[in-house]
Amino acid sequence: MSLKDLVTPFSVWKRALEKPYTNRKPLDSRPGADRYRGFHINDVDKCIGCGTCESICQNEAIDLVPVEGRKTKHGDSGLRPKVDYGRCCWCALCVDICPTGSLGMSNEYVWVDSDPEVFRYVPGHDEKPWNACEKGYRRAEGYDLLEPKRVEMPMLDFSESQKSFVEMVQGYSKEQAMEEADRCIECGICIATCPAHMDVPAYIDAIRRDDLADGLRTVYEANPLPASCGRVCSHACEHVCAMKHKGEAISIRWLKRYIVDQIYANDYQQFLDAAAPENGRSVAIVGSGPGGLAAAYYLRLIGYAVTVYDANEAAGGMLRYGIPEYRLPYDQVDKDIEYIRSLGVTINQNVRIGADVSFQEIYDGNDAVFFSTGLSDPYALEIPGEDLRGVIPGLTILDEVTKGQKPDIGDSVVVVGGGNVAMDAARTSRRYGAEVTILYRRREVDMPADEEEIHESQGEGVTLITQAIPIRIEKGETRRLKLIWGKAEMVPDDRGGRPRPRLIEGSEEVIECDTIVPAIGQQADYKFLPEEIAGRLEFAKGMVTVNEFKQTGDTKIFAGGDIANRKRDAISAIANGHSAAKGIDIYLTNFAAGGRA
Amino acid sequence: MSDQHTQTQISSAEVHEVFADLHTRYGVRGLEEKRADQAFVRTDRDEAVAVLTHLRDRHGYTHLAFLTAVDQIEEGRFELLYMLHNYELRHDLGVIVEIPREGDGCSMDTIHRMWPAAATYQRELREMFGIDFPGSPRLHEDFALEGWHDLPPMRKEFDTREYSERTYYARPGRTKTDTRQHMKDTIYPSEAETW
Amino acid sequence: MVNTDTRSDRPARRGTPIPGTSSARGVPNLATRSQEHINDNPLMPPIVDGKAVFDLDSGKYLKLWQGPQHPGITGNMSLELVVCGDEIVECKTHVGYLHRGFEKLMERRSYIQCFPIVCRIAVPEPDFNEYLFAATVEEIQGIEVPERAQWIRTLNLEMARLASFFMWMGGMAGAFGLGTQGQWTVTMRDYILDRFEELTGGRIYHMYMIPGGVRGDFPEGFTDRLRETIDTCEKTLQDVERTLFNNAVFKKRAKGLGVIHPDIVDQFGIVGPNARAAGFARDVRKDHPYLVYDQLDFEVVTHTDSDAYARAWVRLQEMYQSMDLIRQILDRMPAEGPFFTKLPNVLHWNVKPGHIYKKAECTRGEYGYYLNSDGSDKPRRIYVRGPSYTHAVSLMEHLSIGCNIADTAGLMVSLHTYPPEVER
């Protein structure tokens, strides 16, 4: 031991002159760092209660719970996360994974209470001093556990697509589908919004597992027309997808299509449930659109003998006659229908009920009747000159094309309307080489057509004129016709609805064309119903009134599809058919036990 | 005695040479080269101690980084993993030995005479997996689990959730609401929309 | 094949460097200074097969428990000692006071859910768990981490080493009754934790190095504040060096205490500063450079005395080294760039099947993760190799024989052990 060893420790004394680094009590001024992981905060209006925070929590510290004053609605479960600080480990993975970005953490960390029960609350809903805290942990820019962008769908480019009826959307490859399926967070918010309540997360999971047979089974549990729906479904599910809050919704529709596209029609029977043996009861179905076919499928599955009557040459209804082939190829419609037919469903084509066979006859000859006859009568424009040659309703053009006839449209076409039929008629005309203009009364944002249809029609060279009101049609000078139209201004609706178009007086413009295509909607035609039966049914605003099981005023008659719901899309018709099948089964099992009525 | 940092990394050829030697002598198989500095081999239980001794004394794998087990319950066996390291060649060599996971066969020769520290690993493996190492010191003394009478907890059939539910109680007052069910109950409760 | 004769003709005196031979090809020898000392003393029991043979009922011996409260800053574990007078004739390490079964819990959680768990396996130095867990998953999955993330991770690990050493340094001083240095060093650790807090959002459990990179870039002004902190730390460390390493009490008690003979280094799997103080220039950062260590300049610190003092000295030098490395990293790292790379959706991530062992040099030496994936969404097995596993159990039991009761804490701390990594 040296003298140095004894002396050096005394150098500690110099520290007596230094400022101490302890904090003065009370400790009220030591905020957590800017990104400190303190107590949770949640923007409860932004939160959709998807429960992803709950599923990623490794400690089960989060419960989704109903909170007062918050209603469940489409795209929002109405539940909100409740955090138990007896379990929370402050990892903030819940913040990282939150698809809406509503969840965060404050930098507050001091909370003293003698009651352990209080350390459990719904962030953002329960009043806490840190609710408005700007600081604290948030997911950093450049770090994301979820992928906001969807896998791009291979499409024909517009220069190609407008030349033919080849399907424009080409479908995902296996790698693309698996990558897209991987984006799904399995919250299941979409299930409530899908009219048919398909178990979307389950079939997307099947894609990830590459067990497409299982995926097909899941799909068929709620939708027997998946090849068609996988292409043209109105995909309400995607509008409420939790991932949409982050970026782009999961391509639910196209993932469904992927499953169906990978399985040959002939292999369906080895993966799907076989139909039960016939139970001695029979159901007649009028109309072979999606509603009728869905009812037929589910009824046949549980043992009913099903006969479908359809006025057209081929089954499918609007799927076949209302949607052009570049969106939904006929062989895909056939794939769905042929499987239903293979279960033993009889489909009688070219039979017009009320003309070839009376409704009374099928009513008397079956235990129940379901009709889903759709909307076949186009609304007229109700302007002068509508009866001139060259005014052809949109549905007529689509119908003719399906039947293999070349529509008489000439070189220039003006389509009036903003729905999907208008888009289909316009794009179909484009494929016959015509110059096409669409006139729509309101603004582009008001158009009822699917966004992608509007986008694609413009891409294919269709001119869109909005806030345009047709005034009259006259014989043209250089062309077959001329349409006189006026500009509209948008005025607020007195009844609180969306703004309405009002004609600006004296703003007349003229457009010359060969064909004018009214496509402003269509209505139902109930002429096939005998008066006596029609008298027992109720109608309101052109629709048949039905109960939840789609039963009409006549207990034996059920109705669905566009004539019975306001959504007027294929998937709602399918859901109606499914509900009706359940209803018919309950009715025939419990209330008409005596057999044939 | 200090290791020189100028030494070069082991080459794949050298790894293959060691493997060929072990293969000829002891039938060691299944060489997996993970990285330039890491490989795994498999050997039979009866040869394992000889292989480890040979590797330590002849090939310079003097460091036992760890000894552990992987439960391959579906195949009814444990994989014992002896992770060896050669400081001179800077190479990790994992020696995998398969043993049955049930019955008398669930045992292995002790290596505590080669590496005294191995006694601790073996004690833990006995406690956590139920693997016997006859002759290993203090093998049956508790290690981390004082007074444990249940299944060896690292075995796959030991269910932690079931155990904790049986042993502890949940904090009262927690309720869970299933998002999908809740949305069904509020948005479409009808029997007509229940498939 | 092991020579159980613990008497050795090798001279061994307190504080003298022991000429060593590599045990790789030589005859293994378990002899240490302390055991010889016992066998030289007629009052002490005979040593057979490395263990003392005694009869507790003879009244000559006393059983004494040290722990399970922290015996020095070593974490919750306890030593069951048998003493003769105040000299230890037998020591058994008891662990399990912290056992939370992390390895088992991880087998029952998805990979992303393992991420918040791993840091808890070594409380004062959690970052190595984060790094190694992320690195094993990334290697099996084939994920390339962006360059900036690699620099940030390296910085994070060196900050963790420094903070951990500071905490250890206080414990080392405290174990010999020197409380002042402990106050200083724990404060320095807290300053580093302040930097961790602003970088990661947490002081103790950082949960920052997620598979794919890190969870955030530097906050505004971070590097300047970090440099300042390092300067403060350096100044204090110089004071610690002056007052601890030139301190008669510390020198007197630490020199010659717990000598680890080079021959037993491999037998007991001794790594890190414990091995380096015995003359082995082994450092994972140098031998198997990970992250960006191959782009940094540093020398492996060694000593030959292999006693508590030598180990403390090695750690002191490594603290200066860490500060130097932190400055190097701040100087050399790319100014910007991505710090995270896209992962598969972590909510249903099936990691590719395979197995791999990754290691890194923590303050106690070789820290390792072995990951065995069966291709499912949960790991089949994660094994955590903590250096304390051998240091705190078999090595401690071996070294403590012949040690005084009063020196047990000092011996224990000189091995730098963290019990959570024993129990995992």
Side-chain angles (χ1 to χ4, degrees), chain A residues 296-436:
Chain A
Y297 173 78
Y298 291 109
L299 285 165
R300 183 62 211 88
L301 218 52
I302 52 177
Y304 292 90
V306 180
T307 311
V308 181
Y309 299 92
D310 188 71
N312 279 312
E313 246 170 75
M318 277 297 178
L319 292 177
R320 188 185 298 273
Y321 292 95
I323 300 174
E325 216 185 348
Y326 59 85
R327 283 216 290 145
L328 175 54
Y330 305 135
D331 57 349
Q332 297 302 326
V333 183
D334 289 336
K335 189 177 184 183
D336 287 337
I337 295 171
E338 286 318 307
Y339 179 65
I340 295 172
R341 210 196 293 270
S342 76
L343 297 178
V345 171
T346 311
I347 306 180
N348 294 331
Q349 300 299 154
N350 291 319
V351 179
R352 191 171 283 276
I353 298 297
D356 304 324
V357 175
S358 78
F359 191 85
Q360 193 68 46
E361 193 180 326
I362 57 167
Y363 180 85
D364 293 336
N366 290 283
D367 295 293
V369 179
F370 173 75
F371 73 96
S372 172
T373 45
L375 311 174
S376 48
D377 265 12
Y379 286 121
L381 293 173
E382 290 174 0
I383 54 173
E386 212 172 341
D387 48 353
L388 290 171
R389 193 171 153 262
V391 179
I392 311 171
L395 274 183
T396 309
I397 291 180
L398 298 174
D399 187 74
E400 283 173 359
V401 170
T402 301
K403 286 174 177 153
Q405 302 155 4
K406 184 180 183 300
D408 171 28
I409 53 171
D411 293 333
S412 60
V413 174
V414 172
V415 177
V416 180
N420 279 340
V421 172
M423 298 302 129
D424 290 342
R427 296 174 67 189
T428 297
S429 306
R430 198 75 197 101
R431 281 164 172 73
Y432 282 101
E435 287 295 316
V436 182

Side-chain angles (χ1 to χ4, degrees), chain A residues 16 48 83 86 106 179 196 224 262 302 323 380 382 398 430 460 474 495 505 520 527 570:
Chain A
I48 55 167
V83 186
S106 68
E179 195 185 330
Q262 309 314 306
I302 52 177
I323 300 174
E382 290 174 0
L398 298 174
R430 198 75 197 101
E460 289 174 352
E474 290 172 6
R495 286 170 300 178
E505 292 300 331
I520 55 167
K527 287 196 286 288

Side-chain angles (χ1 to χ4, degrees), chain B residues 12-79:
Chain B
S12 182
E14 284 172 282
V15 175
H16 280 270
E17 234 168 77
V18 172
F19 177 68
D21 178 38
L22 294 171
H23 178 72
T24 326
R25 284 170 193 270
Y26 307 106
V28 167
R29 58 192 186 280
L31 175 69
E32 282 178 82
E33 284 180 273
K34 291 289 178 190
R35 291 190 297 255
D37 63 357
Q38 190 167 113
F40 290 86
V41 295
R42 288 172 183 267
T43 182
D44 289 335
R45 168 156 63 157
D46 295 342
E47 305 286 359
V49 175
V51 169
L52 297 172
T53 311
H54 188 74
L55 279 169
R56 186 190 69 166
D57 296 343
R58 295 274 170 261
H59 292 293
Y61 289 87
T62 55
H63 174 53
L64 174 71
F66 64 87
L67 159 60
T68 193
V70 180
D71 189 350
Q72 303 287 1
I73 186 169
E74 299 85 351
E75 288 143 48
R77 57 184 167 80
F78 287 126
E79 284 175 356

Side-chain angles (χ1 to χ4, degrees), chain B residues 62 65 69 71 113 124 159, chain C residues 2 108 266 380-381 385 389:
Chain B
T62 55
D71 189 350
R113 288 185 194 82
E124 189 189 355
D159 183 341
Chain C
V2 173
R108 303 177 69 86
D266 279 356
R380 173 156 290 261
R381 179 90 171 94
R385 188 229 188 262
Y389 192 84

Side-chain angles (χ1 to χ4, degrees), chain C residues 207-232:
Chain C
M207 299 188 272
Y208 180 60
M209 285 184 261
I210 200 158
V214 293
R215 287 170 97 182
D217 210 328
F218 291 165
E220 193 76 24
F222 175 75
T223 46
D224 293 341
R225 288 190 293 280
L226 180 58
R227 279 182 206 276
E228 252 171 62
T229 304
I230 299 303
D231 292 346
T232 314

Side-chain angles (χ1 to χ4, degrees), chain A residues 63-226:
Chain A
D63 292 325
L64 269 272
V65 295
V67 293
E68 220 179 282
R70 199 156 286 277
K71 283 212 170 66
T72 305
K73 55 186 191 221
H74 288 292
D76 179 0
S77 73
L79 304 170
R80 291 297 177 263
K82 183 175 188 176
V83 186
D84 181 349
Y85 288 101
R87 297 193 68 98
C88 175
C89 77
W90 312 90
C91 69
L93 282 178
C94 51
V95 177
D96 292 350
I97 203 79
C98 177
T100 63
S102 69
L103 203 60
M105 276 172 145
S106 68
N107 67 341
E108 189 54 67
Y109 59 94
V110 182
W111 180 10
V112 183
D113 203 297
S114 57
D115 177 10
E117 295 306 314
V118 303
F119 296 100
R120 191 156 54 175
Y121 73 101
V122 181
H125 177 77
D126 296 345
E127 210 49 57
K128 292 291 169 212
W130 50 81
N131 273 359
C133 186
E134 293 284 328
K135 287 183 172 172
Y137 183 83
R138 305 287 189 282
R139 181 175 63 76
E141 201 61 44
Y143 158 66
D144 204 337
L145 295 177
L146 297 173
E147 174 55 54
K149 289 187 87 70
R150 62 165 62 173
V151 176
E152 208 180 320
M153 172 57 78
M155 309 256 266
L156 287 188
D157 64 51
F158 293 135
S159 61
E160 280 297 310
S161 71
Q162 57 180 301
K163 287 183 197 153
S164 75
F165 283 87
V166 170
E167 189 173 16
M168 207 175 158
V169 176
Q170 295 178 312
Y172 281 138
S173 69
K174 180 174 171 177
E175 289 68 32
Q176 289 168 325
M178 287 183 117
E179 195 185 330
E180 180 64 15
D182 192 47
R183 294 175 62 225
C184 174
I185 58 172
E186 298 179 276
C187 62
I189 290 264
C190 49
I191 301 174
T193 300
C194 172
H197 310 305
M198 301 188 72
D199 193 343
V200 174
Y203 69 72
I204 292 183
D205 179 52
I207 295 175
R208 283 197 300 270
R209 287 183 283 114
D210 200 21
D211 185 353
L212 299 183
D214 190 49
L216 192 73
R217 265 192 297 277
T218 308
V219 166
Y220 263 83
E221 274 165 25
N223 184 345
L225 299 161

